[in-house]
């Protein structure tokens, strides 16, 4: 019996680094309502992949900024003496006001 696999399946199985290839990517093209279009990864051009990399990089940057801001909030609240059930923003404000 023959095992039927797609080129994408074979590529994913060929390397641990390629195992997480998505089924589709956002392209640089916009649809009818200005929404980014998606294309199946098997039909994606090199330029489509480049646009997807750029879009994911932008998302990763935004996530990193949010993580950093939340860490700063947490650190300031803890420095103000806040405990687990205390309101983080209120504690961080107290910390900032004491610094002035």
């Amino acid at each position: 019996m023959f095992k039927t696999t797609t080129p994408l399946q074979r590529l994913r199985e060929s390397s641990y680094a390629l195992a997480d290839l998505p089924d589709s990517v956002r392209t640089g093209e916009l649809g009818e309502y200005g929404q980014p279009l998606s294309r199946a990864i098997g039909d994606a051009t090199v330029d489509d992949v480049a646009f997807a990399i750029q879009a994911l990089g932008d998302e990763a940057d935004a996530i990193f900024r949010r993580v950093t801001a939340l860490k700063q909030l947490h650190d300031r609240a803890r420095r103000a003496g806040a405990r687990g059930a205390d309101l983080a923003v209120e504690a961080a404000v107290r910390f900032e006001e004491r610094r002035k």
Side-chain angles (χ1 to χ4, degrees):
M1 188 171 256
F2 294 101
K3 183 178 177 186
T4 305
T5 61
T6 66
L8 178 58
Q9 289 171 324
R10 290 195 307 269
L11 192 58
R12 285 175 173 157
E13 292 170 1
S14 73
S15 168
Y16 180 76
L18 298 173
D20 290 323
L21 278 172
D23 292 327
S24 63
V25 294
R26 279 191 340 202
T27 68
E29 302 172 49
L30 298 178
E32 183 177 345
Y33 298 103
Q35 297 294 324
L37 295 177
S38 291
R39 181 165 289 139
I41 192 73
D43 297 327
T45 66
V46 174
D47 281 348
D48 291 335
V49 173
F51 283 119
I53 291 167
Q54 180 64 45
L56 287 173
D58 292 345
E59 288 178 32
D61 290 345
I63 290 168
F64 181 76
R65 287 190 302 272
R66 287 194 304 268
V67 166
T68 300
L70 286 170
K71 284 181 180 180
Q72 292 291 317
L73 171 62
H74 177 266
D75 292 349
R76 283 170 169 73
R78 290 292 189 186
R79 287 186 202 135
R83 304 275 176 157
D86 295 334
L87 297 177
V89 170
E90 288 182 11
V93 167
R94 284 194 311 270
F95 176 79
E96 291 298 321
E97 288 173 351
R98 281 194 314 220
R99 289 178 48 179
K100 293 180 181 181

